[in-house]
Amino acid sequence: TLNRPDKLNALTDEMLAALGKALSGAARNADVRAVVLTGAGRAFCAGQDLGAVADRDEEGGMSFRAHLEHAYHPVIRRIVGLEKPVIAAVNGVAAGAGASLALACDLRVVAEQASFVTAFAKVGLVPDSGSTYFLPRMLGLARAYEIYAKGGRFSAQQAVDWGVVNEVAPDGDACREAALSMAATLAQAPTKALGLTKRAMRRAMDRSLEETLDYEAHLQQIAGETADHKEGISAFLEKRPPRFEGR
Ligand code: LHQ
């Protein structure tokens, strides 16, 4: 949980480092079989803490490139590289890099009153933290550019209509609960296969069909040797529900 509710969970370097550490811990711990990322209070995340940016400017300028590379990119890579389902519970507004964080997750559950704000143009910046990778792939180029150019906001309902989110909940608490319930269900799934599916999909986005067919066959060999695959086959033949252990 991003936990700085009085500033709408605006991101500081410390928060990003802690988030990165939590994601690494989740990757290493075999008992973790799904992850939910959410915000405390009424917002999901208002993006970069603009107070900290102003402070750094006062102190003689900052390297935006270095800041993004050191603070943001590792977190985005860890979400995408974590071979377990990562669900964003977007309990309230997700702005700037906060929206990028939500878009980097595999699934999104969104509260009715939540919105996505690509705040970048309003502060004279370009979309970052993977936003220009994720959003045009979900919305198409024209709609994504229009939203960016207007520094725009889109609502939970628009996000549903456009295929950006998986589920809508009546309010922030219900959104977190729905995400946890989705996570509990996914945590019973064959985790290894779901992780490899994520890897396959990410890779297929910028590969040819031939490369994709080849990579799928490679991953299927790995999945086919898991205990969960054997359990799935036994359960089917014995006409009983499978008990997957994530191995
Ligand atoms: C905030 C923030 C905030 C600090 C609300 N910072 N305090 C990466 C790396 C390097 C450089 C720069 O950029 C990036 C990526 C980025 O993320 S750039 C985009 C940064 N984010 C924004 O521009 C969004 C700024 N916030 C807003 O536009 C609004 O706050 C939204 C639309 C998120 C919510 O509006 P409201 O619901 O009306 O809330 P509010 O504006 O009243 O905010 C409540 C409090 O939170 C307030 O503090 P206060 O002490 O006055 O109660 C805000 O100052 C604070 N807050 N966002 N990013």
Side-chain angles (χ1 to χ4, degrees):
T1 299
L2 303 168
N3 192 9
R4 201 177 166 225
D6 55 323
K7 295 291 176 196
L8 307 188
N9 306 314
L11 296 163
T12 62
D13 288 0
E14 291 71 27
M15 286 165 75
L16 287 160
L19 177 55
K21 216 170 154 192
L23 289 163
S24 298
R28 278 195 307 272
N29 185 346
D31 290 341
V32 175
R33 293 174 64 189
V35 170
V36 174
L37 176 61
T38 192
R42 72 176 173 93
F44 175 72
C45 175
Q48 166 65 34
D49 184 312
L50 294 174
V53 170
D55 291 347
R56 282 197 215 187
D57 278 347
E58 294 266 302
E59 287 161 15
M62 61 178 271
S63 163
F64 285 86
R65 170 185 273 277
H67 187 200
L68 285 167
E69 284 174 351
H70 292 131
Y72 283 86
H73 295 182
V75 171
I76 300 300
R77 287 194 192 102
R78 274 178 202 162
I79 293 173
V80 172
L82 181 58
E83 294 199 342
K84 305 174 184 192
V86 182
I87 305 164
V90 185
N91 51 298
V93 66
S100 307
L101 276 183
L103 295 173
C105 294
D106 304 308
L107 298 146
R108 277 157 292 284
V109 180
V110 178
E112 260 169 23
Q113 80 282 8
S115 56
F116 292 82
V117 185
T118 59
F120 304 97
K122 285 201 172 156
V123 287
L125 292 175
V126 299
D128 62 25
S129 306
S131 183
T132 62
Y133 180 87
F134 298 113
L135 200 63
R137 280 173 166 77
M138 294 180 197
L139 299 186
L141 292 171
R143 190 167 269 156
Y145 189 74
E146 185 182 6
I147 288 166
Y148 287 142
K150 292 179 177 167
R153 183 186 278 259
F154 56 97
S155 66
Q157 190 52 53
Q158 283 170 309
V160 175
D161 295 345
W162 297 341
V164 176
V165 307
N166 300 82
E167 203 173 311
V168 179
D171 58 37
D173 286 340
C175 164
R176 282 181 281 253
E177 276 162 30
L180 284 171
S181 154
M182 187 186 272
T185 304
L186 289 171
Q188 318 251 322
T191 307
K192 183 84 183 162
L194 293 199
L196 296 177
T197 303
K198 176 167 171 175
R199 203 200 295 178
M201 283 173 58
R202 296 290 177 191
R203 200 177 147 106
M205 282 198 177
D206 54 15
R207 300 296 157 107
S208 69
L209 175 61
E210 278 310 312
E211 285 171 288
T212 301
L213 290 172
D214 184 61
Y215 199 61
E216 284 173 354
H218 165 67
L219 295 182
Q220 198 66 293
Q221 188 62 39
I222 298 172
E225 290 167 14
T226 61
D228 282 343
H229 168 61
K230 290 182 182 61
E231 165 62 9
I233 296 290
S234 303
F236 176 76
L237 295 176
E238 292 161 22
K239 300 191 188 301
R240 60 169 175 82
R243 284 182 300 273
F244 294 122
E245 291 181 353
R247 290 185 294 116

